[in-house]
Short mmCIF file of all heavy atoms in Angstrom, two decimals:
data_model
loop_
_atom_site.label_atom_id
_atom_site.label_comp_id
_atom_site.label_asym_id
_atom_site.label_seq_id
_atom_site.Cartn_x
_atom_site.Cartn_y
_atom_site.Cartn_z
N ALA A 152 99.99 4.41 -46.99
CA ALA A 152 100.01 3.03 -47.49
C ALA A 152 100.24 2.02 -46.37
O ALA A 152 99.75 0.88 -46.43
CB ALA A 152 101.08 2.88 -48.57
N GLU A 153 100.97 2.41 -45.35
CA GLU A 153 101.28 1.49 -44.25
C GLU A 153 100.02 1.06 -43.50
O GLU A 153 100.01 0.01 -42.85
CB GLU A 153 102.26 2.18 -43.29
CG GLU A 153 103.03 1.22 -42.39
CD GLU A 153 104.13 1.91 -41.61
OE1 GLU A 153 104.35 3.13 -41.84
OE2 GLU A 153 104.76 1.25 -40.79
N LEU A 154 98.96 1.86 -43.59
CA LEU A 154 97.72 1.53 -42.90
C LEU A 154 96.94 0.41 -43.59
O LEU A 154 96.09 -0.22 -42.97
CB LEU A 154 96.83 2.78 -42.80
CG LEU A 154 97.36 3.96 -41.99
CD1 LEU A 154 96.39 5.13 -42.07
CD2 LEU A 154 97.60 3.56 -40.54
N GLU A 155 97.22 0.19 -44.87
CA GLU A 155 96.45 -0.80 -45.62
C GLU A 155 96.52 -2.19 -45.00
O GLU A 155 95.56 -2.96 -45.07
CB GLU A 155 96.95 -0.86 -47.08
CG GLU A 155 96.66 0.41 -47.87
CD GLU A 155 97.17 0.33 -49.30
OE1 GLU A 155 97.72 -0.73 -49.68
OE2 GLU A 155 97.03 1.32 -50.04
N ALA A 156 97.65 -2.52 -44.39
CA ALA A 156 97.82 -3.85 -43.80
C ALA A 156 96.87 -4.10 -42.64
O ALA A 156 96.63 -5.27 -42.27
CB ALA A 156 99.27 -4.03 -43.34
N PHE A 157 96.31 -3.04 -42.06
CA PHE A 157 95.44 -3.18 -40.90
C PHE A 157 93.96 -3.05 -41.26
O PHE A 157 93.10 -3.11 -40.38
CB PHE A 157 95.80 -2.14 -39.85
CG PHE A 157 97.21 -2.24 -39.35
CD1 PHE A 157 98.22 -1.47 -39.91
CD2 PHE A 157 97.55 -3.14 -38.34
CE1 PHE A 157 99.52 -1.56 -39.46
CE2 PHE A 157 98.85 -3.24 -37.89
CZ PHE A 157 99.85 -2.46 -38.46
N ALA A 158 93.66 -2.86 -42.53
CA ALA A 158 92.29 -2.56 -42.95
C ALA A 158 91.54 -3.81 -43.39
O ALA A 158 92.04 -4.60 -44.19
CB ALA A 158 92.30 -1.54 -44.07
N ASP A 159 90.34 -3.97 -42.86
CA ASP A 159 89.41 -4.98 -43.37
C ASP A 159 88.66 -4.42 -44.58
O ASP A 159 88.34 -5.14 -45.51
CB ASP A 159 88.41 -5.37 -42.28
CG ASP A 159 89.08 -5.99 -41.07
OD1 ASP A 159 89.45 -7.16 -41.15
OD2 ASP A 159 89.24 -5.27 -40.06
N ILE A 160 88.36 -3.12 -44.49
CA ILE A 160 87.61 -2.43 -45.55
C ILE A 160 88.33 -1.11 -45.85
O ILE A 160 88.74 -0.40 -44.93
CB ILE A 160 86.16 -2.13 -45.10
CG1 ILE A 160 85.42 -3.43 -44.79
CG2 ILE A 160 85.42 -1.32 -46.16
CD1 ILE A 160 84.04 -3.21 -44.16
N ILE A 161 88.47 -0.80 -47.12
CA ILE A 161 89.00 0.50 -47.52
C ILE A 161 87.91 1.26 -48.26
O ILE A 161 87.36 0.77 -49.26
CB ILE A 161 90.26 0.36 -48.39
CG1 ILE A 161 91.42 -0.17 -47.53
CG2 ILE A 161 90.64 1.70 -49.03
CD1 ILE A 161 92.73 -0.32 -48.28
N LYS A 162 87.58 2.44 -47.73
CA LYS A 162 86.54 3.27 -48.32
C LYS A 162 87.20 4.27 -49.26
O LYS A 162 87.96 5.15 -48.82
CB LYS A 162 85.78 4.00 -47.21
CG LYS A 162 85.14 3.06 -46.19
CD LYS A 162 84.44 3.83 -45.08
CE LYS A 162 83.22 4.57 -45.61
NZ LYS A 162 82.50 5.27 -44.53
N VAL A 163 86.92 4.14 -50.53
CA VAL A 163 87.59 4.95 -51.56
C VAL A 163 86.68 6.11 -51.96
O VAL A 163 85.51 5.90 -52.34
CB VAL A 163 87.93 4.10 -52.79
CG1 VAL A 163 88.65 4.95 -53.84
CG2 VAL A 163 88.79 2.90 -52.40
N ASP A 164 87.20 7.30 -51.88
CA ASP A 164 86.48 8.50 -52.31
C ASP A 164 86.58 8.57 -53.84
O ASP A 164 87.56 9.05 -54.39
CB ASP A 164 87.11 9.73 -51.67
CG ASP A 164 86.36 11.01 -52.00
OD1 ASP A 164 85.52 10.99 -52.92
OD2 ASP A 164 86.61 12.04 -51.35
N ILE A 165 85.53 8.11 -54.52
CA ILE A 165 85.61 8.01 -55.98
C ILE A 165 85.58 9.37 -56.66
O ILE A 165 85.91 9.48 -57.84
CB ILE A 165 84.49 7.11 -56.55
CG1 ILE A 165 83.11 7.75 -56.33
CG2 ILE A 165 84.54 5.72 -55.93
CD1 ILE A 165 82.00 7.07 -57.11
N MET A 166 85.18 10.43 -55.92
CA MET A 166 85.18 11.76 -56.51
C MET A 166 86.60 12.33 -56.60
O MET A 166 86.86 13.26 -57.35
CB MET A 166 84.29 12.70 -55.69
CG MET A 166 82.85 12.23 -55.56
SD MET A 166 82.01 12.07 -57.16
CE MET A 166 81.81 13.81 -57.57
N GLN A 167 87.52 11.77 -55.80
CA GLN A 167 88.88 12.28 -55.75
C GLN A 167 89.88 11.38 -56.48
O GLN A 167 91.05 11.72 -56.58
CB GLN A 167 89.32 12.43 -54.30
CG GLN A 167 88.48 13.40 -53.48
CD GLN A 167 88.56 14.82 -54.01
OE1 GLN A 167 89.62 15.27 -54.44
NE2 GLN A 167 87.43 15.53 -54.00
N VAL A 168 89.42 10.23 -56.97
CA VAL A 168 90.31 9.27 -57.62
C VAL A 168 89.83 9.03 -59.05
O VAL A 168 88.65 8.73 -59.27
CB VAL A 168 90.36 7.94 -56.84
CG1 VAL A 168 91.31 6.96 -57.54
CG2 VAL A 168 90.79 8.17 -55.40
N GLY A 169 90.72 9.16 -60.02
CA GLY A 169 90.36 8.97 -61.42
C GLY A 169 90.10 7.51 -61.76
O GLY A 169 90.55 6.61 -61.05
N PRO A 170 89.39 7.24 -62.88
CA PRO A 170 89.04 5.88 -63.28
C PRO A 170 90.24 4.96 -63.43
O PRO A 170 90.22 3.81 -62.97
CB PRO A 170 88.31 6.08 -64.62
CG PRO A 170 87.79 7.47 -64.55
CD PRO A 170 88.79 8.25 -63.77
N LYS A 171 91.32 5.42 -64.08
CA LYS A 171 92.49 4.57 -64.28
C LYS A 171 93.16 4.20 -62.96
O LYS A 171 93.57 3.06 -62.74
CB LYS A 171 93.49 5.26 -65.23
CG LYS A 171 93.02 5.36 -66.67
CD LYS A 171 94.13 5.86 -67.57
CE LYS A 171 93.66 5.93 -69.02
NZ LYS A 171 93.32 4.59 -69.55
N GLN A 172 93.26 5.20 -62.07
CA GLN A 172 93.85 4.94 -60.77
C GLN A 172 92.98 3.97 -59.97
O GLN A 172 93.49 3.09 -59.25
CB GLN A 172 94.01 6.26 -60.00
CG GLN A 172 94.89 6.16 -58.77
CD GLN A 172 95.04 7.49 -58.04
OE1 GLN A 172 94.33 8.45 -58.36
NE2 GLN A 172 95.94 7.55 -57.08
N LEU A 173 91.67 4.09 -60.11
CA LEU A 173 90.76 3.17 -59.44
C LEU A 173 91.00 1.74 -59.91
O LEU A 173 91.09 0.81 -59.10
CB LEU A 173 89.31 3.57 -59.73
CG LEU A 173 88.64 4.59 -58.81
CD1 LEU A 173 87.22 4.87 -59.28
CD2 LEU A 173 88.62 4.10 -57.37
#
Side-chain angles (χ1 to χ4, degrees):
E153 200 171 355
L154 297 177
E155 293 180 2
F157 300 95
D159 298 283
I160 299 172
I161 290 181
K162 302 178 68 177
V163 181
D164 184 346
I165 66 168
M166 302 300 288
Q167 299 297 322
V168 180
K171 290 188 179 297
Q172 193 179 10
L173 272 179

